[in-house]
Amino acid sequence: MATESSPFDTEVSTRKTSVSQRKQIIAIANSHISGRKLGAPLTNMSLSILRDKSYECMD
């Protein structure tokens, strides 16, 4: 059964990927979902996805 989601069910963050910014969040919407804040580092899960490039073959 499919469910509808609202814009408040999705967290979106933007990161600066330069070395000097250390991949910190520079903008975030709906941060109440994860509790992350501006300046937060990448999570271990995100680092793993970048390392193994699993984003190339799956959503």
Side-chain angles (χ1 to χ4, degrees), residues 18-56:
S18 70
V19 174
S20 64
Q21 292 291 324
R22 293 179 287 154
K23 300 182 175 92
Q24 296 176 340
I25 293 175
I26 60 170
I28 191 164
N30 297 329
S31 62
H32 64 279
I33 294 172
S34 70
R36 293 182 299 170
K37 307 267 185 226
L38 291 177
L42 278 174
T43 62
N44 287 338
M45 181 179 171
S46 297
L47 289 169
S48 175
I49 290 168
L50 289 172
R51 227 182 338 266
D52 67 18
K53 297 185 180 185
S54 60
Y55 57 85
E56 292 179 347

Side-chain angles (χ1 to χ4, degrees), residues 6-23:
S6 77
F8 303 107
D9 293 339
T10 304
E11 180 180 284
V12 178
S13 64
T14 303
R15 298 186 177 277
K16 180 84 172 181
T17 57
S18 70
V19 174
S20 64
Q21 292 291 324
R22 293 179 287 154
K23 300 182 175 92

